[in-house]
Amino acid sequence: MKKFIIHTTIAVNLVIISAMLVTGFADMLDPRSWPVMTTAGYAFPLFALANLGMIVIWMFISKKHILVPFLGFVICYVPVMQYCPVHASGEVPLGALKIMTYNTWGFGSQREAGNDEEAKKEARRNILQYIADEDCHVVCIQEGVYHKAMEADIDSIIKPKMPYIDTCKIEGGTMLMVLSKYPIKKHEALKYESKGNLSAAFYLDVNGKELIILNNHLETNKFSVEEKQQFGEMVKGDMGRSGIKTESKFVLKKLGAAAAVRAPQAEAVASYVRMHKGRSMIVCGDFNDIPISYARRTIAKELEDCYVSTAMGPGFTYHRNGMYVRIDNVMCTDDLDSYSFHVDKKCTISDHYPVVGWVKWHGR
């Protein structure tokens, strides 16, 4: 009887490990050819947790077979670390630059405030004050806004600490902003097809050394407010079985379609990085895709993922309607070292949390 239990448990464990492999390396697939299959990465943490649970089960059945789930984690080491890196917070050296990337959701103007201008003004000022208090050297903002009232608030709250500001906007779409302690010499938008999203390179002069900040807001998944609410209901279990099945199919189809649109955008970003090889660059922003995705893998090929290299835990950056995922990233070229990147949850006004950390040039 015990042999039967052991053999059955091994079979179950091997199925889980196989599922980890399939979902953990789904980012190898091009979403233009495999739109739904590439969304398999969303399921990876579930199978990883199931494999972790197998360790507990083996402790009661047969301790020597704990090697089976451990082998699964070894085989899937790369996707495990991409989703949930494990690094103790290290000491940040003197001279390191503090970097933040933050999708501000229109500085809070897109909250469920309706036409309450006072609420929007309070949200905007609170986000700006949070940014000022963090005292970063460079802040990269997605979904920014810049109007007269905004300009006045930036002048009073931000400019005393970060006097240099530049923006880049696509007509009818997103605005990218860079706030900096260092002069911004110029910016240039990357060329790729999008109705509302944008990537742009901002050239900074950091004490005589050039640093390119490539700020990105890649294609969104285009969920409406109502669709996000329905997803939240599904996660909470407020739908019947048929409702969950219908909603799941809808979500997967929409995620796959958006991933297919993001693919050439990510390739354009990766191409820009290759064209400027040998120059110092930080690539950051809202990729609108998870750690196991074609978009992230494509951009990260020739870069160091600062969060994966230095952080602890899964670090969810999007936190609304039951969608808890890390879709905001900071990456850098190999002449820069990264330190203590983390998701900062102090400010909850936007639907995103910012990613914050430090970088420093080798030998400086």
Side-chain angles (χ1 to χ4, degrees):
M1 183 65 180
K2 186 173 183 181
K3 281 186 178 181
F4 174 78
I5 293 172
I6 289 173
H7 291 159
T8 303
T9 309
I10 288 174
V12 170
N13 206 160
L14 290 177
V15 169
I16 291 171
I17 292 170
S18 298
M20 286 175 65
L21 279 167
V22 171
T23 57
F25 293 95
D27 57 359
M28 303 292 288
L29 298 173
D30 189 324
R32 288 164 292 195
S33 301
W34 307 91
V36 177
M37 288 292 291
T38 53
T39 64
Y42 283 88
F44 176 77
L46 301 178
F47 293 115
L49 286 172
N51 195 52
L52 189 64
M54 292 305 299
I55 294 176
V56 177
I57 291 171
W58 281 122
M59 288 179 67
F60 290 98
I61 297 174
S62 173
K63 288 186 174 61
K64 67 179 181 181
H65 285 92
I66 287 176
L67 289 173
V68 177
F70 270 115
L71 179 62
F73 283 124
V74 170
I75 295 171
C76 296
Y77 177 80
V78 171
V80 167
M81 288 299 104
Q82 283 173 198
Y83 242 108
C84 187
V86 182
H87 301 284
S89 182
E91 185 177 346
V92 177
L94 291 173
L97 305 178
K98 189 176 183 182
I99 308 294
M100 175 190 291
T101 184
Y102 192 10
N103 183 322
T104 65
W105 208 20
F107 286 93
S109 64
Q110 297 182 53
R111 287 174 63 89
E112 299 83 357
N115 295 318
D116 189 338
E117 293 303 321
E118 282 302 312
K120 292 180 180 179
K121 183 195 299 184
E122 182 181 6
R124 179 177 73 240
R125 289 179 175 174
N126 285 341
I127 288 179
L128 288 172
Q129 190 60 57
Y130 159 74
I131 292 172
D133 291 344
E134 284 300 299
D135 198 22
C136 297
H137 294 88
V138 180
V139 176
C140 302
I141 289 171
Q142 304 85 44
E143 291 194 37
V145 291
Y146 206 61
H147 45 66
K148 285 187 177 180
M150 182 75 187
E151 187 175 0
D153 288 339
I154 285 179
D155 287 346
S156 63
I157 299 171
I158 296 295
K159 281 195 173 181
K161 290 193 174 183
M162 286 178 286
Y164 302 101
I165 297 170
D166 198 4
T167 65
C168 188
K169 189 179 189 303
I170 185 170
E171 187 174 350
T174 192
M175 173 182 281
L176 301 176
M177 303 178 71
V178 171
L179 317 176
S180 172
K181 290 182 181 290
Y182 304 103
I184 304 171
K185 298 183 293 183
K186 65 174 183 176
H187 75 254
E188 58 181 349
L190 274 63
K191 293 181 180 178
Y192 58 63
E193 188 176 342
S194 179
K195 292 181 179 179
N197 292 83
L198 178 67
S199 297
F202 296 79
Y203 287 69
L204 276 59
D205 180 352
V206 181
N207 300 325
K209 193 168 180 66
E210 181 185 75
L211 177 62
I212 302 173
I213 303 291
L214 184 45
N215 194 0
N216 302 273
H217 187 201
L218 302 186
E219 196 73 19
T220 69
N221 291 309
K222 291 184 169 59
F223 286 105
S224 66
V225 173
E226 292 77 14
E227 289 166 351
K228 288 179 181 178
Q229 289 173 346
Q230 287 174 359
F231 181 84
E233 290 174 10
M234 181 183 73
V235 172
K236 292 176 184 177
D238 293 342
M239 290 182 176
R241 184 178 297 178
S242 61
I244 290 174
K245 186 177 180 180
T246 302
E247 181 68 14
S248 298
K249 286 182 178 179
F250 171 78
V251 169
L252 290 176
K253 186 176 179 180
K254 199 145 192 175
L255 290 174
V261 176
R262 270 193 300 275
Q265 298 174 359
E267 289 165 357
V269 174
S271 177
Y272 193 91
V273 172
R274 287 193 300 272
M275 286 172 56
H276 295 79
K277 194 171 180 64
R279 299 166 80 170
S280 302
M281 186 181 299
I282 293 172
V283 179
C284 64
D286 178 4
F287 290 8
N288 268 309
D289 223 331
I290 58 174
I292 299 174
S293 64
Y294 181 85
R296 183 214 161 267
R297 184 179 68 84
T298 299
I299 295 171
K301 273 182 182 177
E302 298 182 51
L303 299 167
E304 174 188 336
D305 187 316
C306 300
Y307 187 89
V308 172
S309 298
T310 69
M312 172 69 76
F316 303 134
T317 59
Y318 190 86
H319 60 94
R320 287 291 177 108
N321 301 112
M323 300 179 185
Y324 298 102
V325 287
R326 187 171 81 248
I327 59 177
D328 301 86
N329 299 273
V330 180
M331 301 175 185
C332 66
T333 47
D334 59 10
D335 61 330
L336 296 166
D337 295 319
S338 55
Y339 303 90
S340 298
F341 274 81
H342 58 281
V343 176
D344 193 334
K345 299 182 179 180
K346 290 195 290 288
C347 187
T348 61
I349 297 169
S350 172
D351 53 354
H352 289 244
Y353 292 126
V355 178
V356 184
W358 289 260
V359 300
K360 187 179 182 184
W361 275 284
H362 296 330
R364 287 192 67 182

